[in-house]
Amino acid sequence: MPRMQTLPLKYGCNPNQPHAKITYAGPGDMPLAVVNGNPSYINALDALRAWRLVQDLKAVTHKPAAASFKHVSPTGAAVADSGALDPALVAVNFYPGTDRSPVAAAYAKARASDRGASFGDFIAVSEPVDESLAALIKPEVSDGIIAPAYEPAALELLKQKKSGKYVMMTMDPAHTDPPTESRVDMGLTLEQTANTLLPAADHLTRIVTDKKELPPAERETLLVLMTTLKHTQSNSVALGLAGHAIGIGAGQQSRIACTRLCCEKSARYLLKLHPKTVDLVARFKPDVKRADRVNALDAFVMWDELSKLERDHLRHQITGPVDPITPDEAAAYLADVSGLCCASDAFFPFRDNIDRLARAGVQTIAQAGGSVRDEDVIAAANEHRMTMAMTDVRLFLH
């Protein structure tokens, strides 16, 4: 007979909700454990959602995976690749050292997707936390991490965060979800079949555009994006590159709003790798704090949107003149990016989404299909010389 097991939580969604706990009545011991700190209800939700994502990413790609989560949606997700991290990515994110394990490199990419949104994130990784990953996490503002295990040196290093209160949790990788899931709202229990679908190459075979090319690297990126969207609050659209979700537009009521949001995030990510942005890294005044440097680089790539006051504030943090990226330079730089992919958690209802993705430099799209305007959307993709696969899979999450 399964026994009820309880894990107390710090408080609920807000401090004025003092009663919060996790209960488990499944077979065996509770698969979730707290290694350090005192997680809140939100921490636990982010941990569980993020854990599912990295486990699915590993299952889909067979690579170490990492995710940075905020408010039950990923700000970034990535799988490890075989090469070293882009030196520009390392520089503009102020990452320490050069020796990184595959799981540390995956998290470095995930965190870099949207540095502002990742401020105070909850981390999930598919592999045990090693010292390389712990050293990367230690200087970051982060609320906690969930992993299958911690190496002793990594555990001791992370225990130094937040005056010893940094939340560290483990989840048993062998634990599987039950066939149904439920939630209680207003005393009413809603129940549904668990979404066990894993994106696969078979979902990308129905290519409906004139352009049919789908290189292996772009196929993997589309699978990473589809898997990420499965664990992102709907509506959602994501852009990615080289196994890395670099722009996630989540939780918007209209799909074009999702599309605009992910395109804007993608452009900011890519322009932070521009040589002019990298040049600023070494020119911050010594008294400028790390978090302020991160914010300054985010502001720099949006120069045209800044007020005079904001521009003056940025200049005061830099030694020497500030040479902004001009609109023409930005357009040329973004146009030179190859392999940019997009996935949507449902169909695109209008061609305006495709037109916006084309302006962002997207060359490959995966979307569910099934709209009454599919032909209009396909025609738009053909006009922009894109490859578009219709997956026949919807990935809503609420």
Side-chain angles (χ1 to χ4, degrees):
M1 176 75 68
R3 68 190 191 281
M4 182 68 72
Q5 300 166 73
T6 302
L7 194 160
L9 297 172
K10 187 177 181 180
Y11 49 70
C13 279
N14 301 288
N16 65 297
Q17 296 169 275
H19 173 71
K21 65 181 181 179
I22 298 172
T23 58
Y24 177 67
D29 294 329
M30 180 179 283
L32 180 69
V34 177
V35 176
N36 193 70
N38 186 12
S40 69
Y41 187 88
I42 290 176
N43 291 156
L45 284 175
D46 280 343
L48 293 173
R49 286 279 181 88
W51 174 257
R52 286 193 180 102
L53 170 54
V54 296
Q55 290 299 292
D56 277 2
L57 283 173
K58 184 178 180 180
V60 167
T61 66
H62 308 291
K63 294 180 177 181
S68 172
F69 252 67
K70 283 281 291 289
H71 301 294
V72 294
S73 279
T75 67
V79 295
D81 50 35
S82 57
L85 291 175
D86 183 344
L89 182 146
V90 173
V92 300
N93 288 284
F94 306 98
Y95 288 148
T98 56
D99 184 19
R100 293 178 191 86
S101 64
V103 68
Y107 177 64
K109 291 164 63 178
R111 175 92 186 193
S113 301
D114 188 343
R115 291 283 304 195
S118 287
F119 187 87
D121 66 345
F122 209 96
I123 302 163
V125 290
S126 64
E127 314 302 309
V129 179
D130 57 19
E131 194 170 6
S132 169
L133 175 57
L136 184 69
I137 294 170
K138 188 173 184 295
E140 302 289 3
V141 177
S142 170
D143 280 358
I145 181 171
I146 186 169
Y150 299 83
E151 293 181 1
L155 187 63
E156 291 308 309
L157 192 59
L158 290 179
K159 279 184 176 180
Q160 299 171 27
K161 284 181 67 66
K162 301 184 77 168
S163 302
K165 297 178 182 178
Y166 187 63
V167 173
M168 287 181 271
M169 307 175 80
T170 59
M171 188 71 176
D172 181 359
H175 177 75
T176 57
D177 287 355
T180 59
E181 59 187 25
S182 61
R183 68 174 70 179
V184 177
D185 200 345
M186 296 181 65
L188 305 172
T189 300
L190 287 76
E191 186 174 295
Q192 65 175 353
T193 305
N195 185 4
T196 58
L197 180 142
L198 284 178
D202 288 349
H203 294 131
L204 301 173
T205 57
R206 190 163 76 92
I207 298 177
V208 295
T209 46
D210 295 338
K211 186 181 176 186
K212 305 292 184 184
E213 294 83 6
L214 187 56
E218 294 181 21
R219 183 180 294 109
E220 180 182 78
T221 298
L222 289 176
L223 293 176
V224 167
L225 294 177
M226 290 174 66
T227 307
T228 300
L229 293 176
K230 176 188 170 185
H231 299 280
T232 302
Q233 290 291 106
S234 299
N235 286 326
S236 56
V237 179
L239 266 57
L241 192 66
H244 179 189
I246 64 172
I248 301 171
Q252 304 301 305
Q253 287 80 5
S254 75
R255 194 151 302 276
I256 186 60
C258 300
T259 300
R260 290 168 181 153
L261 183 56
C262 72
C263 289
E264 291 164 4
K265 289 184 175 184
S266 171
R268 289 201 299 272
Y269 168 84
L270 293 168
L271 289 174
K272 283 185 71 174
L273 306 179
H274 190 283
K276 284 189 174 183
T277 314
V278 176
D279 175 66
L280 290 185
V281 171
R283 295 203 288 119
F284 280 101
K285 293 177 180 177
D287 61 341
V288 179
K289 295 180 180 179
R290 189 170 184 271
D292 293 326
R293 296 181 185 209
V294 169
N295 291 339
L297 294 186
D298 279 343
F300 174 75
V301 299
M302 298 184 291
W303 186 263
D304 284 351
E305 300 176 31
L306 303 181
S307 66
K308 181 180 183 303
L309 183 65
E310 291 170 315
R311 291 179 181 182
D312 288 344
H313 177 66
L314 197 156
R315 288 190 179 100
H316 290 154
Q317 299 178 80
I318 302 292
T319 59
V322 175
D323 182 17
I325 304 168
T326 68
D328 286 346
E329 289 171 334
Y333 185 80
L334 296 174
D336 200 40
V337 174
S338 61
L340 191 60
C341 300
C342 170
S344 174
D345 68 357
F347 61 68
F348 283 124
F350 300 102
R351 69 165 290 155
D352 55 358
N353 295 276
I354 308 304
D355 294 331
R356 181 64 185 91
L357 292 169
R359 283 197 283 122
V362 170
Q363 292 112 35
T364 309
I365 298 173
Q367 59 123 332
S371 167
V372 295
R373 296 183 179 84
D374 273 352
E375 292 306 315
D376 293 343
V377 171
I378 294 169
N382 282 330
E383 289 173 27
H384 294 297
R385 297 190 53 76
M386 295 172 168
T387 299
M388 185 164 68
M390 288 191 173
T391 65
D392 302 309
V393 170
R394 196 175 79 176
L395 298 166
F396 276 175
L397 177 67
H398 288 272

